[in-house]
Amino acid sequence: MHKPLDGLFLSTREHIDEEEQRIVNTVRQWADREILAKRLTYLEHYEQEFAGKRGMLLMEIGLQRLALSEENGGFGWNSKASAPCLAAVLMEIGRADAATAYMSALQFTTILASGADGTSPIDTLISRFYSTDKPVNPALILPGPGSQDEQTPLFFGRSINARLVHEGDSAILFGKNMRPAGCGALADHFCVVCADSAGKPWIAFVPADAQGIQRGNILQETGLNACANADITFQHVRLPREATLEGKETVEGLYLWLNLFLGATSVGAAMNFFEIVYDWANTRTIKGGSLMKENPLCASVLADVAEEIAIARFLTDDLARLIAMTASPNGPELQNVYTFAQIVGYRVQQGAMRAVNRGLELMGSAGYAREWHAEKHWRDIKTIQSYLCGVGAEVPVKMDTARFFFDCREI
Amino acid sequence: MHKPLDGLFLSTREHIDEEEQRIVNTVRQWADREILAKRLTYLEHYEQEFAGKRGMLLMEIGLQRLALSEENGGFGWNSKASAPCLAAVLMEIGRADAATAYMSALQFTTILASGADGTSPIDTLISRFYSTDKPVNPALILPGPGSQDEQTPLFFGRSINARLVHEGDSAILFGKNMRPAGCGALADHFCVVCADSAGKPWIAFVPADAQGIQRGNILQETGLNACANADITFQHVRLPREATLEGKETVEGLYLWLNLFLGATSVGAAMNFFEIVYDWANTRTIKGGSLMKENPLCASVLADVAEEIAIARFLTDDLARLIAMTASPNGPELQNVYTFAQIVGYRVQQGAMRAVNRGLELMGSAGYAREWHAEKHWRDIKTIQSYLCGVGAEVPVKMDTARFFFDCREI
Amino acid sequence: MKSIDDFSRPEEYISPLDKHFRSVVRAWVDKDVMPHRREYDEDWKEHTLIEPAFDNLMANRGLGIQKALFPADLGGWGLGQSDYAFTIACTLAEEVGRADTAMAVAFMVTYWPLTTILVEPHVNRRLAAEFAPMFCKSDKAVFAALAMTEPQGGADIENMELLGGKTIKTTARLDGDEWIINGHKLWPTNTGGVGQLFGVPCTTRPGSTDPNDFALIFVPADMKGVTQGGPYEKAGMAADKNGDLWFEDVRVPNWYRAHGPGKDAQVFKEIIPWGLVGSMGFLVGAMMNLYEVLYEFVSTRTYGNRPLKENDAIAGLIGRIAGDIEVCRILAYEGARIGDRRNRPYGHPLYSEEVLAKLRNLKDFVCDRAVENFGRAMDVLGVYGPDRQYDIEKHWRDIKIIQLWMGGKQLCQMEAARYFYNCKTL
Amino acid sequence: MKSIDDFSRPEEYISPLDKHFRSVVRAWVDKDVMPHRREYDEDWKEHTLIEPAFDNLMANRGLGIQKALFPADLGGWGLGQSDYAFTIACTLAEEVGRADTAMAVAFMVTYWPLTTILVEPHVNRRLAAEFAPMFCKSDKAVFAALAMTEPQGGADIENMELLGGKTIKTTARLDGDEWIINGHKLWPTNTGGVGQLFGVPCTTRPGSTDPNDFALIFVPADMKGVTQGGPYEKAGMAADKNGDLWFEDVRVPNWYRAHGPGKDAQVFKEIIPWGLVGSMGFLVGAMMNLYEVLYEFVSTRTYGNRPLKENDAIAGLIGRIAGDIEVCRILAYEGARIGDRRNRPYGHPLYSEEVLAKLRNLKDFVCDRAVENFGRAMDVLGVYGPDRQYDIEKHWRDIKIIQLWMGGKQLCQMEAARYFYNCKTL
């Protein structure tokens, strides 16, 4: 397709300055030249060729240090005010490859959820970890499903399956066969939501080379194939105390960023899906001759595709702006933005998924053949959606929403 | 309910200054004191008591002149930059009474779609018409359904049923049994989309006392009962030429404003519905004793109510901001914003309607009894939604969307 | 033009009487209801227009259909003994619901309490004989009501599975050979002044969950101590009056209890399937009318100067509406058949968890489709959608209440989930 | 625990053979498919694991089910003569689809072209005798394919109502007592190397819309000039191979044409109902497996430290999933029955507009529910949703293709709309 996407999908972004836009544009060029133009090659030789492209993005363009504070050697997109720019960058990466964007989203989430203030010990620790000349593979272990036979501490109903015990200057981490949201098999570090003995939630930053970490077999998963996953066991893993951060608000903050970044990732992937469908609809004929796009029923399906993506992008931008607004003294409260982040996060994934499901309806077997690449977006976005749900589909988010709006106390 | 709605439903509004916010607050006080506090009374004695309250809003608070230019004696909220403020005001009125807000929405649409530049002849004409000490009742005649037996000029597929012929300094209007979007029976003027002999669309401003206007019987309609409707026939209605405005862009502009204003109206009504459901959920017990809101299934329905309204409000704010952005030299193009206005307009109505439909599920017969007022919002919003569709449900909007995003030429 | 009768039904289930019932009721609908139904909303309090139409359907001077369930030897038609009772009920619900679902519910709820004493295998001959003259010999429509809902608790009474009747506040105390009944009910169909006989679920021991303490007692409206309030004003369903009902030391003979301890709780559970199948029939009937109106509109009004139905996108949308009606009709008759299998070796009793859960599920499903499709249809009509002259908006207002009644959507969901997932604590 | 067999079926329609077929196929599924299906995705090219399983189902050394349609005197089971052919097809589709819908389609598509010559009232004895040995005497699974789709035009061939075959590019020319066939087909199930017999829709006069110029000709895969390409790599359905198929001056005897001018077009229309009912069966089977997996997960994993199913909101959500499965199963069997009514006075022929439109509608509906519910179920499993070990994600990938095949969703919508609204120009 030969139209600029920005001219089609409007945005109310007003918080991105020229310098920031330049970085967004650089990432778009990388996407166009390095990935989209060579996509069919990658289909055959994924492993060999693709990893290098991610390296180029993270190292040469420097995205691995984008969200690190200037104090710690980063680009300084480390505040809430950077939310719109970070989201914009992830959309561009997601358009090229959702798995690559997903890993950057986890990186950004790890950094920003840990404060990223340029001064705290954990920020220094994480910054040092990321300031390497190799791509860092991150993994998140979030609260999620519990098991019938055990009572766990909860984060708003979701089971926190990792336990934290503080011993002097150390923190010891336990947890058995926990399922990360992707990347478990290749993670260089884990960002883990865990609970102390009082049940209070914490975040722990865990380098993968720490003693006592076991990984299960590589899992076969629906999508995000570059994010090879495996179950993780922590057996008495000792961390420095400064690798942990306390409090429910910290975890809320993590979800807030995660919803934004995964939303941007899926919207990016969906925009490339739009490009694929655009090309299809502009060349495919039906009913013995007329162009598919000129048939009103097909056009209404095409409209669904565009509409869902447009709305998802709007909502992602809204969430980014809301997060940016919390940086100002009169900004909204965290609990409030947390609720909206959960709502918007789930709606964006749902919208992106609907866009793809609808688009596939028009593509027949081309939607399904690996060759056309449409099916990859479908599998990738679905995987992100399910990961983000954690457990119970949208119910945990619904409970968060009802709790906030209707003052429920027991759900 | 005793919580401020603003604290619950976040907004990304940044374009409202203190002065503007004061007006919004005044309208809210009017809503709380004059309408919401006395609602049960109105149920019995609607006609007698309610009309006066609208007069208070339009005359004493002065809303009838809000969107008029300062040059023509108005408050000066007459530019695209005023979109967020006007939408905010309509939400407050809609919360009190959708029909009252609907009539203000039609007023604002009439004024702004006609240019409202403070200098053009039509603006002067309309401003003079609105500068009276009685509430002006407006009605719109929009493109919509055509009839099997006639070919009409089209506005993107919708039939333009009124014809315009220019004769020297006059314009003559024709049209038979046309169905306005509400208010036909009591209109003081009509804002009519019509077509000239070449099929080009125009807007005409028609005072109701012009010669040659016939009204049909008062219709019984689902909701917006204060906006009594009737079919309208124009038989050689003569207007001054300056009461007409030319061009497809003019009609696109009209839809753009209409979508915003009706969106704000329905969101406002939905927010009051939220308050009703809030009270219900916080007092009603189920399963022999527990509070409804503490049951997870009911809570998830409550969450749907809040979520749909929150998203609808976000999207309305987004549309308002987009319209405001078109005022700046680098702003998006009209065709683009028109498409988004159609998408957002339809999604907002759909979301508001879903919120109400879900909420009613929990209210049992109270949802249905006139006494609780929930059913009024349900009927009012549904009426707005159907009016706005014009004909063919969301299909015309889908066609607009596909045309814009996929360059369809024949649909 | 395709007719509404082209929607599929499971042909193998249909009663031999179906054609006859359908044609006489449809003739009545077209003559007595269709010409007047647009005025019913304003007639909600007085029933000046509505009452004569009911008389023509229900009473002896008309079709006399109110006697249908009574045994033939008592002057009825004996449908209580039919193998097709549910399927015929579905047919009747459809035909009347097509014109006016409120009328359909008011007429069919008259049968509702009577099913507990007139349908095999639970015929109570003595009560049947007692009430037969009231229904079989009248030249006026006679309405009965099942007075379930109480002020506190909403759907709690319908939630028998969970609460076992423990929240029932209406009491029945045996005093010699009479029951003394005290309590306050509200919202039953056919109250607000029209009910002449009430089936009253009450408790003989307040707070008990023992099924033996649940009693279903028949109370004629003219007994001392029975008070009916006036009808509530509602968003729709004007032909169905609902109001308050008070019982103050009302005395009825002890044999006015439907069957006795234990059995009453069972027959009370058994009324639920009737209500659910009836609800589906009402909705399918209303949707068949939706199809008729929509067909006309999309054939004569245009978009792009061609009939709406010739635009592929609109065709897709209205095709989905017709397709949903087809689906719902199949499901409604399958639901009816689940009821009619009650006495067959491969069937399940009406009070079984299986029947209740499956019918709740089907009813929930059909309600959702109806609410969705009427809403969509109004939008297809656009500016004409809210206009009562186009007949869809009235159904839109009316059918929402079908989703809300009998415990509403969420109770349906819970019963289905309990059944399919063997949930213990919902 | 409730079992998958607790979902409703219209009991009155079920074949006396149902129980037998169901139990032997289920035993085969549990033994030969369930233990291996998670590895099928990697086996898409070679079918090293998949082929032996097919042999055990289809060939003489196993259940021998590939002979089912052939007349008994030719070595088959004579199901082509059964009054329950569609209903049994639905049962088989369900049972195999429960394990793997790709396997189900590959196995059942073998019947597909054969229905045109083996099912009453269209039995072509000569062709039946010709092909009977191939299927009835083999110790290996033998696959047939219906080679419809062509490179340009996509679903156009399935869109016979509208296009009358005018876009078909594959030609058949009579040369003496032989047909000479030329053309290029792609994506048929059971190509990519596995097909041994092809039913080939072709035209005897390119561009014609005259039904007499449509020919359905059988072509064994080993004829000179037949070339099968390798299988495509797809997002799912690994057990179903699809590829290109070229016919280059392929000569077959003139009596390999199914029936002849006019009749071929009719029997080609009649295959569509089989495909639609089969599709619904596959989906219901897959959803029954979804229920099994989901039941286990929601019973053992927790939210708020209680089993997921004991949370009312999650119960509501999974209850809706189970409820939809119930609904879809009822509809699938009603669809099957519409097929089995073809020879009854109250039924309609398979080629009739009525049957085609109604089955398209039901298939479209069931597809939507399946796509929706598998997607939801993955989210219920959350981080475990995308994991192949939980078996839902494979179905999720597989069943989407069922929505896309046979002309896809939009063709279904158009046929239903045409029928219900008598549209002329869609």
Side-chain angles (χ1 to χ4, degrees), chain A residues 201-221:
Chain A
W202 292 68
I203 288 180
F205 179 84
V206 188
D209 56 4
Q211 289 283 316
I213 299 181
Q214 289 162 14
R215 300 187 204 232
N217 295 329
I218 293 185
L219 302 164
Q220 286 167 312
E221 294 193 317

Side-chain angles (χ1 to χ4, degrees), chain B residues 146 148 152 156-157 179 220-222 284 287-288 297 357 360-361 365 368 370 375 382 386 390 392-394, chain C residues 42 154 156 187 233 235 300-302 304-305 375-376 379-380 382-383 386-388 393 397 400 409-410 426:
Chain B
Q148 191 181 18
T152 66
F156 294 133
R179 177 67 49 99
Q220 285 167 312
E221 295 194 316
T222 307
R284 188 71 178 173
K287 286 188 177 181
L297 180 60
N357 259 319
L360 289 182
E361 286 174 14
S365 38
Y368 212 69
R370 294 247 164 172
E375 61 85 32
K382 184 69 210 175
S386 291
E394 73 273 20
Chain C
E42 283 66 44
D156 278 354
W187 276 101
E233 191 174 6
T300 55
R301 306 310 296 248
T302 64
N305 282 325
R376 301 271 281 171
D379 294 344
V380 171
V383 280
D387 182 350
R388 201 187 294 166
E393 75 87 28
R397 285 183 285 118
K400 182 75 182 174
K409 182 168 172 55
Q410 282 65 40
L426 298 186

Side-chain angles (χ1 to χ4, degrees), chain A residues 183-248:
Chain A
C183 304
L186 40 77
D188 297 311
H189 76 76
F190 302 93
C191 177
V192 183
V193 175
C194 45
D196 62 20
S197 55
K200 187 195 287 184
W202 292 68
I203 288 180
F205 179 84
V206 188
D209 56 4
Q211 289 283 316
I213 299 181
Q214 289 162 14
R215 300 187 204 232
N217 295 329
I218 293 185
L219 302 164
Q220 286 167 312
E221 294 193 317
T222 307
L224 296 182
N225 294 340
C227 304
N229 205 7
D231 282 340
I232 302 298
T233 295
F234 295 134
Q235 217 163 19
H236 209 279
V237 175
R238 185 176 294 269
L239 306 169
R241 186 181 255 274
E242 62 263 32
T244 62
L245 254 184
E246 186 180 1
K248 192 166 68 69

Side-chain angles (χ1 to χ4, degrees), chain C residues 110-130:
Chain C
T110 291
Y111 297 144
W112 212 16
L114 296 173
T115 60
T116 64
I117 54 168
L118 298 178
V119 174
E120 290 291 355
H122 303 307
V123 180
N124 180 329
R125 284 288 300 185
R126 188 174 180 190
L127 280 178
E130 176 81 358

Side-chain angles (χ1 to χ4, degrees), chain D residues 217-236:
Chain D
I217 299 176
F218 284 85
V219 181
D222 56 6
M223 300 305 270
K224 186 158 174 284
V226 176
T227 313
Q228 287 189 63
Y232 300 140
E233 191 174 4
K234 298 171 301 179

Side-chain angles (χ1 to χ4, degrees), chain A residues 146 148 152 156-157 179 220-222 284 287-288 301 357 360-361 365 368 370 375 382 386 390 392-394, chain D residues 42 154 156 187 233 235 300-302 304-305 375-376 379-380 382-383 386-388 393 397 400 409-410 426:
Chain A
Q148 189 181 20
T152 66
F156 294 133
R179 177 66 49 100
Q220 286 167 312
E221 294 193 317
T222 307
R284 189 71 178 174
K287 288 188 177 181
V301 179
N357 260 321
L360 289 181
E361 286 174 15
S365 39
Y368 211 68
R370 293 249 164 172
E375 61 85 33
K382 185 68 210 177
S386 291
E394 73 273 20
Chain D
E42 283 66 45
D156 277 355
W187 278 101
E233 191 174 4
T300 56
R301 306 310 296 247
T302 63
N305 283 325
R376 300 272 282 171
D379 294 344
V380 172
V383 280
D387 182 350
R388 200 187 296 166
E393 74 88 28
R397 284 184 287 117
K400 181 74 183 174
K409 182 169 172 55
Q410 281 66 39
L426 297 187

Side-chain angles (χ1 to χ4, degrees), chain A residues 88-104:
Chain A
V89 162
L90 286 171
M91 278 189 204
E92 299 298 336
I93 312 177
R95 182 174 154 255
D97 180 59
T100 306
Y102 188 79
M103 288 191 275
S104 286

